[in-house]
């Protein structure tokens, strides 16, 4: 079994036991002696014993396995608080009280993220280092090359541009040639419009939900709306600072906050102008905010499932000429 599949086994196991024990506890049949055998220890064994063991068996790196076990056990406790009937909970009440510890851990994680942002960007700018590389190196040092690391990297990048965007400039990124995309079809202006709409809507929606539905629902929706506001502010600041670049023998597509997509120049089969709508597809990657993408790149060999890339740039002709020139130079 490949490592990528093995690493997903604990998550699949958690999903399976949540569904199975959810059906078991909520049913009124011979499975649970018609509600008389809803013992919490049945789910407890799977969630707190088997699940952590699977994490350590399926993940080679000890630190990653420990972190994955903690996260999945916390999720299992949250699931258990919903599927186990109240009258069957004995130990579960004590486990549920641990939600305050989990909340403190999440706040600590956010604090660590903010501190990592500050020092990573400070070092990167001081040494004229690529900010993306600085963030990824800092995160991978602790989390390795994992899905969690990619999520954490994205979050740090978001806070970087939300709080410290003025300290990041396009020339700080690696590359011999940089290409922008924030002016195409008013992309940056559209993002600013979304920010204003969120700011205006947030207090009105909070008051409406507070009095019409419940204070708790109002607080939850407001928190989620604020999170989306932070994202849009960061995206607004990132679009003019994270360029698409030619870096050595590679084309690095940075677009807003999202992870870079790296294409070896030797893998570019064709690049041309484009002006039509592009539908979503598994074999297609689209990098465009408004209007239709104006550059199409066809790959000689698929990268993962991706066969074609469509990009919206401010100066597509200059970009196409530069890529064709670099591809030709690499062939010789």
């Amino acid at each position: 079994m490949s490592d990528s599949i093995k690493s997903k086994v604990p998550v699949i196991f958690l999903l399976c036991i949540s569904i199975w024990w959810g059906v078991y506890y909520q049913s009124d049949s011979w499975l649970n002696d018609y509600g008389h055998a809803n013992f919490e220890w049945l789910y407890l064994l799977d969630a707190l014993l088997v699940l952590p063991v699977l994490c350590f068996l399926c993940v080679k790196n000890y630190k990653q396995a420990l972190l994955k076990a903690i996260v999945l056990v916390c999720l299992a406790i949250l699931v258990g608080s919903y599927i186990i009937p109240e009258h069957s909970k004995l130990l579960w009440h004590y486990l549920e009280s641990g939600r305050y510890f989990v909340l403190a851990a999440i706040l600590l994680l956010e604090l660590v993220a903010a501190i990592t942002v500050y020092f990573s960007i400070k070092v990167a700018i001081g040494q004229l280092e690529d900010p993306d590389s600085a963030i990824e190196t800092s995160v991978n040092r602790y989390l390795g090359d994992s899905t969690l690391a990619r999520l954490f990297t994205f979050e740090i990048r978001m806070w970087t541009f939300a709080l410290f965007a003025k300290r990041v400039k396009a020339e700080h990124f690696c590359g011999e040639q940089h290409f922008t995309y924030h002016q195409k079809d008013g992309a940056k202006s559209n993002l600013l419009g979304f920010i204003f709409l969120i700011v205006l809507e947030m207090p009105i929606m909070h008051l409406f939900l507070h009095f019409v539905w419940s204070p708790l629902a109002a607080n939850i929706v407001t928190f989620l709306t604020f999170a989306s506001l932070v994202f849009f502010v960061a995206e607004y600041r990132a679009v003019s600072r994270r360029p698409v670049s030619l870096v050595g023998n590679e084309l690095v597509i940075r677009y807003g906050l999202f992870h870079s997509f790296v294409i070896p120049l030797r893998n570019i089969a064709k690049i041309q102008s484009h002006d039509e709508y592009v539908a979503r597809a598994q074999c297609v990657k689209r990098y465009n905010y408004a209007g239709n993408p104006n550059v199409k790149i066809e790959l000689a060999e698929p990268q993962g499932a991706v066969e074609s890339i469509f990009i919206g740039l401010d100066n597509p002709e200059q970009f196409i000429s530069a890529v064709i020139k670099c591809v030709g130079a690499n062939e010789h």
Side-chain angles (χ1 to χ4, degrees):
M1 186 184 298
S2 66
D3 291 339
S4 61
I5 296 176
K6 284 180 65 177
S7 64
K8 295 178 175 62
V9 169
V11 177
I12 295 173
F13 178 75
L14 174 59
L15 181 62
C16 291
I17 64 173
S18 299
I19 295 173
W20 163 249
W21 290 118
V23 172
Y24 177 87
Y25 287 121
Q26 300 302 319
S27 65
D28 188 16
S29 64
W30 58 270
L31 281 174
N32 58 358
D33 193 18
Y34 299 96
H36 296 295
N38 284 333
F39 307 117
E40 66 174 1
W41 60 264
L42 296 171
Y43 182 71
L44 200 65
L45 287 175
D46 280 339
L48 301 188
L49 182 61
V50 180
L51 184 58
V53 170
L54 277 177
C55 290
F56 284 99
L57 290 177
C58 296
V59 181
K60 292 182 179 180
N61 186 284
Y62 176 79
K63 290 183 179 179
Q64 293 182 36
L66 179 61
L67 185 61
K68 192 165 203 171
I70 292 173
V71 172
L72 292 183
V73 166
C74 289
L75 286 175
I77 292 172
L78 179 64
V79 171
S81 64
Y82 287 101
I83 65 175
I84 300 175
E86 285 296 325
H87 64 270
S88 300
K89 294 179 181 178
L90 296 174
L91 296 175
W92 215 264
H93 290 296
Y94 297 102
L95 294 175
E96 288 175 340
S97 64
R99 63 183 180 272
Y100 299 110
F101 171 78
V102 175
L103 179 60
I106 293 174
L107 293 175
L108 179 62
L109 190 66
E110 294 294 331
L111 180 61
V112 170
I115 294 173
T116 304
V117 166
Y118 177 77
F119 285 106
S120 297
I121 296 303
K122 184 178 180 180
V123 171
I125 294 176
Q127 299 179 354
L128 299 179
E129 185 182 346
D130 187 314
D132 280 359
S133 298
I135 294 173
E136 290 174 8
T137 301
S138 300
V139 172
N140 291 344
R141 186 183 301 127
Y142 299 101
L143 300 179
D145 187 12
S146 62
T147 302
L148 182 61
R150 288 175 63 82
L151 291 173
F152 200 51
T153 299
F154 176 82
E155 183 178 3
I156 290 178
R157 189 182 299 118
M158 180 185 72
W159 286 109
T160 297
F161 286 98
L163 302 176
F164 308 114
K166 290 183 179 180
R167 301 191 64 184
V168 181
K169 297 181 180 179
E171 54 265 29
H172 291 154
F173 291 90
C174 292
E176 292 77 41
Q177 298 184 65
H178 300 301
F179 304 92
T180 61
Y181 47 86
H182 63 284
Q183 294 178 345
K184 178 188 174 294
D185 294 320
K188 194 172 182 181
S189 300
N190 289 337
L191 287 170
L192 185 61
F194 278 112
I195 292 171
F196 281 128
L197 285 175
I198 293 172
V199 170
L200 292 172
E201 174 265 347
M202 189 161 53
I204 298 172
M205 184 58 66
H206 180 84
L207 291 174
F208 176 79
L209 293 175
H210 181 88
F211 292 106
V212 174
W213 191 359
S214 74
L216 177 61
N219 291 333
I220 292 173
V221 171
T222 301
F223 173 78
L224 294 175
T225 306
F226 178 77
S228 68
L229 177 62
V230 173
F231 170 80
F232 274 105
V233 169
E235 186 84 351
Y236 171 78
R237 294 180 171 184
V239 293
S240 59
R241 291 175 170 85
R242 289 189 80 223
V244 175
S245 305
L246 285 166
V247 185
N249 298 325
E250 297 176 330
L251 171 62
V252 180
I253 302 175
R254 309 180 190 92
Y255 219 85
L257 294 175
F258 294 99
H259 295 295
S260 303
F261 189 77
V262 180
I263 307 173
L265 293 178
R266 66 178 182 276
N267 196 33
I268 296 178
K270 186 178 181 181
I271 181 169
Q272 61 185 22
S273 298
H274 182 87
D275 60 358
E276 298 178 355
Y277 172 75
V278 180
R280 292 181 181 274
Q282 188 176 6
C283 61
V284 169
K285 265 193 174 294
R286 304 184 303 176
Y287 296 97
N288 190 61
Y289 284 111
N292 296 326
N294 49 29
V295 175
K296 178 182 180 181
I297 299 174
E298 295 181 11
L299 301 181
E301 296 181 4
Q303 292 186 212
V306 180
E307 299 175 359
S308 302
I309 298 97
F310 294 86
I311 316 174
L313 295 170
D314 294 339
N315 196 333
E317 293 80 11
Q318 181 185 357
F319 173 75
I320 293 171
S321 298
V323 172
I324 291 175
K325 183 177 179 181
C326 289
V327 170
N330 277 273
E331 289 177 351
H332 296 297

